Amino acid sequence: MTRIAFVGLGAMGLPMASNLLTKGFTVTGFDLNADALAALEGAGGRRAGSAREAAQDADVLILMVVSAAQAEAVLFEGGALEALRDGGVVALMATCPPSAVESIEARVRAAGRRLIDAPVSGGVAGAKGGTLTIMAAGPRDTFDGLKAVFDAMGDKVFHVGERPGQGAMVKTVNQLLCGVHIAVVAEAFALASKVGVDLDILLQIMSGSAASSWMLRDRGPRMLQDKPEVTSAVDIFVKDLGIVLDAGRDTRAALPLAAAAHQMFLAASGRGDGHEDDSQVIRTYLALNGVR
């Protein structure tokens, strides 16, 4: 499976496609951003004028789009699924609700193609370094056929189940933990701020204590900056924690901590901070508690 169509050349998609090219795969890409297409060409890839054109007779169609709705638009309305060769594989690598993945997979299978549900974690740094975690679900033989493709983009590739939708659920759990961890760090910092504790010192103490977490060590320093670089926006967690709560509703699972964190990210977005780094959810906690 060497002929790859790649749709969604954003901050993560473009370096993922570039890593595929480095590993010797043929990549034809499509994105609405002309600069991204030019960058793909510069890396040795081919540009297409549409998703359908990119997918024409490809072995694998990788979707690194924003949402399940975009994936459906590319596959069905945009004609990319029809253009993919018979028996070809759709690798859905976006963060989508598990129920939506199941619905998309049924339509892909009915069209004589296959789908691997393979969301990723690791952010832009992982995409650039080829160190993404890939959580793939689908029939084992389909996964095995794509293993070399996944290995070109990530160094932690897992087969998490035979049924598409299971990968999306693993990513949903990941985002639940990430979102709650960020929110609780912001809550803890806001509490300490009420009595004037130096947050730089607090961060040093907590980072080396039993209370530490990867999110504390990564997002904590950025919470202390007025305008940190955006590595993941507040609105990403508005979306992803919304997916978490949808999954909870669909499975009748109570998720009270996820719901509380979602409300704080929603409030941060509502205050105008939706495009700021997700660490800036702390601004909402500080405002809520009257801390400057």
Side-chain angles (χ1 to χ4, degrees):
M1 293 189 173
T2 58
R3 296 173 300 171
I4 297 175
F6 202 112
V7 177
L9 300 170
M12 292 182 66
L14 181 58
M16 290 165 68
S18 297
N19 285 333
L20 287 166
L21 289 164
T22 300
K23 295 295 185 178
F25 293 97
T26 298
V27 179
T28 302
F30 174 70
D31 194 277
L32 295 176
N33 185 334
D35 291 340
L37 291 173
L40 180 69
E41 280 189 314
R46 302 171 184 172
R47 76 160 69 202
S50 67
R52 183 187 184 99
E53 181 184 334
Q56 191 64 49
D57 296 324
D59 300 303
V60 182
L61 169 58
I62 294 176
L63 297 179
M64 194 61 189
V65 293
V66 172
S67 64
Q70 284 193 3
E72 291 172 341
V74 168
L75 288 170
F76 310 124
E77 288 91 49
L81 181 63
E82 185 180 35
L84 189 66
R85 73 164 177 82
D86 288 342
V89 181
V90 176
L92 180 54
M93 305 191 78
T95 300
C96 301
S99 59
V101 174
E102 293 175 13
S103 175
I104 292 171
E105 189 274 336
R107 295 177 69 180
V108 169
R109 182 164 26 90
R113 279 76 170 175
R114 296 168 288 163
L115 183 138
I116 281 284
D117 164 30
V120 304
S121 180
V124 175
K128 290 180 177 178
T131 58
L132 292 171
T133 298
I134 299 175
M135 302 152 264
R140 183 79 204 201
D141 59 342
T142 304
F143 169 79
D144 289 342
L146 260 69
K147 183 64 163 51
V149 175
F150 291 147
D151 284 341
M153 298 181 286
D155 63 354
K156 296 172 285 295
V157 179
F158 298 94
H159 183 236
V160 301
E162 292 282 327
R163 192 178 72 250
Q166 291 174 312
M169 184 59 82
V170 173
K171 179 61 186 292
T172 296
V173 171
N174 182 80
Q175 295 308 90
L176 187 164
L177 288 165
C178 289
V180 169
H181 279 191
I182 294 170
V184 78
V185 170
E187 185 169 302
F189 281 12
L191 173 61
S193 295
K194 288 288 286 186
V195 295
V197 170
D198 186 318
L199 294 185
D200 285 301
I201 294 174
L202 180 71
L203 178 60
Q204 291 180 50
I205 295 169
M206 294 298 105
S207 295
S209 77
S212 184
S213 69
W214 189 93
M215 278 298 183
L216 170 68
R217 296 189 301 273
D218 185 79
R219 298 310 202 267
R222 300 212 294 274
M223 287 184 185
L224 307 187
Q225 301 173 25
D226 290 333
K227 195 77 173 177
E229 178 186 356
V230 179
T231 60
S232 173
V234 164
D235 278 345
I236 294 295
F237 273 102
V238 172
K239 174 180 74 76
D240 287 0
L241 285 173
I243 290 174
V244 169
L245 296 177
D246 286 345
R249 183 188 62 234
D250 291 344
T251 58
R252 298 296 188 268
L255 306 172
L257 297 181
H262 188 233
Q263 288 297 306
M264 297 308 293
F265 281 103
L266 269 174
S269 183
R271 294 180 64 248
D273 292 331
H275 297 296
E276 298 292 332
D277 188 72
D278 56 29
S279 63
Q280 297 311 293
V281 70
I282 192 172
R283 296 177 187 175
T284 295
Y285 276 99
L286 297 175
L288 183 66
N289 288 292
V291 178
R292 290 192 176 186

